[in-house]
């Protein structure tokens, strides 16, 4: 029994200047590349903690020490959140530009003494994308970086999208869509409240009905990415996301009606706008997309089965005659050409409506 020794606890992260030991008592090769510490925790553990907290809690975390302040100012911290917005992938930059132009127009006509409503979840350090949040010394708000960084790009998006997210929690469900649209319309004259306030946004104007469907769809899309577990822009992001999902479902139902009406008129431009907007906010698979299935259901080719008699492929003498089959196949090819060409012109390629239509035609007809 003398050859067995009691195992002693070993520190996973050695303090500065100490050696990192393994359970056998030998020096670990990782000691040469020891992780830097902030306080008693390694940097990667701080980064893991930051990935789980809301953006609203980041300022308090950063004020714990100068090292954490510096860590949070680094672009690596903001890169994952900016990437989660998928601005370039889905061409959502137009939403931010439109919002920014509307806000600038509001600042021009608003009175200096007008107060903008805030909320208890406010992230005041994000007041200006060009400023340096978390800094102790006063910073000029007129500074504009020559090249946008990941941090400045995210802060710009955060400032522009946050009022829309807050409006989701302060607006009646049936008014959410018109409320969100009002943020994109520059005000015509000064009012008692700023249009950037959730309270004033509930007062809609006729101009909101003129906002293109594609812009509305992209706004809902970027908001769904903004209110996600990866970004967590607000403490109540999950509750606001539920309100957004309900508004998106209502919007998609409106698009289905608009598409059906345009289809009945033969208005391909109206069909295309409704289809692209619906696909923009859709989060399921192509085979489950309601608009694509509805369009296919209405094709007459699926309801003319009584027109074709298989016995016509035989003559009175019982000999095969494929004239009837040729006529049937010509009708099928004509339907694919007619409806398929329209599907290509109307639906986004990624929705795969043409492929799904052809597959159903082959299986059912």
């Amino acid at each position: 029994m003398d050859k067995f020794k009691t195992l002693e606890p070993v520190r996973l992260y050695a303090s500065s200047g100490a050696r990192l030991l393994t359970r056998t008592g030998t020096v670990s090769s990782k000691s040469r590349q020891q992780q830097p510490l902030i306080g008693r925790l390694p940097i990667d553990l701080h980064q893991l903690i930051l990935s789980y907290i809301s953006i609203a809690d980041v300022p308090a975390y950063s004020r714990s020490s100068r090292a954490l302040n510096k860590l949070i100012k680094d672009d690596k911290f903001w890169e994952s959140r900016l990437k989660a917005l998928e601005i370039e992938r889905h061409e959502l930059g137009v939403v931010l530009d439109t919002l920014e132009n509307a806000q600038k127009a509001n600042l021009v006509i608003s009175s200096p003494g007008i107060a903008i409503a805030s909320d208890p979840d406010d992230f005041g350090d994000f007041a200006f994308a060009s400023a340096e949040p978390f800094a102790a010394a006063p910073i000029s708000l007129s500074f504009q970086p020559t090249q946008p960084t990941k941090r400045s790009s995210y802060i710009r998006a955060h400032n522009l999208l946050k009022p829309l997210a807050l409006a989701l929690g302060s607006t009646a469900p049936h008014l959410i869509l018109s409320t969100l649209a009002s943020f994109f319309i520059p005000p015509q004259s000064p009012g008692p409240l700023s249009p950037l306030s959730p309270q004033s946004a509930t007062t809609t104007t006729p101009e909101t009905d003129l906002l293109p469907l594609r812009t509305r769809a992209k706004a809902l899309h970027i908001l769904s990415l903004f209110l996600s577990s990866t970004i967590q822009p607000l403490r109540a992001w999950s509750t606001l996301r539920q309100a957004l999902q309900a508004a998106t479902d209502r919007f998609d139902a409106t698009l289905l009606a608009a598409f059906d009406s345009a289809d009945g008129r033969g208005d391909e431009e109206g069909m295309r706008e409704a289809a692209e907007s619906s696909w923009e906010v859709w989060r399921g698979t192509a085979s489950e997309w309601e608009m694509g299935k509805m369009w296919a259901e209405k094709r007459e080719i699926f309801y003319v089965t009584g027109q074709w008699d298989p016995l016509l492929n035989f003559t009175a003498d019982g000999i095969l005659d494929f004239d009837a089959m040729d006529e049937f196949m010509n009708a099928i090819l004509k339907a694919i050409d007619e409806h398929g060409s329209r599907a290509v012109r109307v639906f986004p390629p990624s929705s795969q409506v043409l492929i799904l239509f052809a597959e159903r035609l082959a299986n059912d007809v």
Side-chain angles (χ1 to χ4, degrees), residues 52-67:
Y52 282 95
I53 68 174
S54 166
I55 288 291
D57 296 318
V58 169
Y61 197 92
S62 70
R63 295 188 186 103
S64 302
S65 70
R66 293 182 180 274

Side-chain angles (χ1 to χ4, degrees), residues 87-88 90-98 156 222:
I87 295 175
E88 295 182 359
H90 298 291
E91 300 179 354
L92 300 175
V94 62
V95 177
L96 301 179
D97 294 339
T98 306
R156 171 179 176 260
I222 195 171

Side-chain angles (χ1 to χ4, degrees), residues 163-173 176 179 183 197-202 240 243:
L164 279 72
L166 293 175
L168 294 171
S170 59
T171 308
I176 287 180
T179 298
F183 285 93
S197 168
Q199 287 81 355
S200 65
T202 57
L240 297 175

